[in-house]
Amino acid sequence: MKQTMPVDGKFELMALPYAPEALEPVISAATLGFHHGKHLLAYVNNLNAALPGSGLEGLPLEEVVLKAQGGLLNNAGQILNHNLYFGQFTAPKADNAPTGRLARAIDEAFGSFDAFKEAFVKAGVTLFGSGWAWLSADADGKLVITQEPNAANPVQRGLRPLLTMDVWEHAYYLDYQNRRPDHLAALWQIIDWDVVAGRYED
C-alpha cells in the first residue's frame, strides 16, 4: 500500500479524484460535501493538532495508525480509512465488476462475485454501531472480509486493505436515512475496480 506522508510535518486533506456530483445518484454532492469537506477535514485538523510531542511526528500515516493510541489513533485511522474509501469510486456504471487476477481471487475465496457481494454487504449491514466493512488481502494474497469498528483498519491485523464500505451514518444518512442496506447495495455501481485491483497488485 502506498504510504501517505506528511507535508512539512502536517497531513493534508486528500483531493477528490472526481467532481462532487460525479457519484450521483449513489452518493450525492451534498453528502460528499459534508463527508469529505467537513468530517474528513476535522480528522485531518485534529490529527495535526495532536501530533506535536507525540513522538510520531514525520511518520507515514500507516505507521501512525499502527503505533498510536487513543485520540491520535482515532483520527489517524479515520484519515486512512477515508482516503481509501474516497479514492475507490468512479461514476456509476451498469454491470460493474472486477476483471483479471482480482476477479479470479474473489471467485477462489468466495465462490463467485455475487456470493462475495452478498457476504460483503452482510458484513456492513450486521456491524453494530459505527465502523467499516473491508475486503483485504493477507500476506499470501488470499482475500478476506472483516468488520472493523469505529476507526479501526485492517493494517492493524497485518492485512492489506483493498475495498471498503463506510457504515458510519454520516456516510449515507442524507441520501438514504436509516436504510443502510440500500446504501451498501447501491455502492457497487461506483466502485472503481481498476483502483481496487491496483491495491491488490501492489
Side-chain angles (χ1 to χ4, degrees), residues 114-128:
D114 285 341
F116 158 67
K117 289 198 295 183
E118 182 178 349
F120 197 82
V121 168
K122 182 178 179 181
V125 169
T126 60
L127 191 149
F128 182 77

Side-chain angles (χ1 to χ4, degrees), residues 81-103:
N81 292 351
H82 283 90
N83 286 355
L84 291 165
Y85 174 79
F86 287 123
Q88 71 187 7
F89 294 135
T90 189
K93 298 178 183 177
D95 301 320
N96 194 22
T99 59
R101 182 171 171 239
L102 177 62

Side-chain angles (χ1 to χ4, degrees), residues 42-120:
Y43 295 129
V44 172
N45 290 338
N46 290 342
L47 179 62
N48 286 332
L51 274 174
S54 67
L56 302 176
E57 302 92 331
L59 293 179
L61 179 63
E62 294 75 12
E63 268 193 66
V64 177
V65 171
L66 291 173
K67 296 179 178 180
Q69 297 180 346
L72 266 172
L73 173 58
N74 288 337
N75 287 288
Q78 285 291 66
I79 297 170
L80 179 57
N81 292 351
H82 283 90
N83 286 355
L84 291 165
Y85 174 79
F86 287 123
Q88 71 187 7
F89 294 135
T90 189
K93 298 178 183 177
D95 301 320
N96 194 22
T99 59
R101 182 171 171 239
L102 177 62
R104 293 191 295 273
I106 287 173
D107 288 345
E108 180 179 338
F110 304 103
S112 70
F113 181 54
D114 285 341
F116 158 67
K117 289 198 295 183
E118 182 178 349
F120 197 82

Side-chain angles (χ1 to χ4, degrees), residues 121-192:
V121 168
K122 182 178 179 181
V125 169
T126 60
L127 191 149
F128 182 77
S130 299
W132 304 76
W134 289 91
L135 175 70
S136 301
D138 67 13
D140 297 320
K142 182 179 178 182
L143 300 182
V144 295
I145 293 171
T146 63
Q147 295 174 313
E148 306 294 344
N150 300 316
N153 185 283
V155 298
Q156 296 164 295
R157 302 174 182 255
L159 300 171
R160 179 161 30 105
L162 307 177
L163 170 72
T164 189
M165 291 186 178
D166 184 348
V167 295
W168 284 68
E169 285 190 343
H170 62 242
Y172 60 88
Y173 210 84
L174 284 180
D175 299 328
Y176 296 86
Q177 290 77 51
N178 64 333
R179 294 177 284 115
R180 182 191 287 188
D182 292 348
H183 168 64
L184 298 181
L187 287 179
W188 298 112
Q189 301 172 55
I190 60 170
I191 300 300
D192 188 332

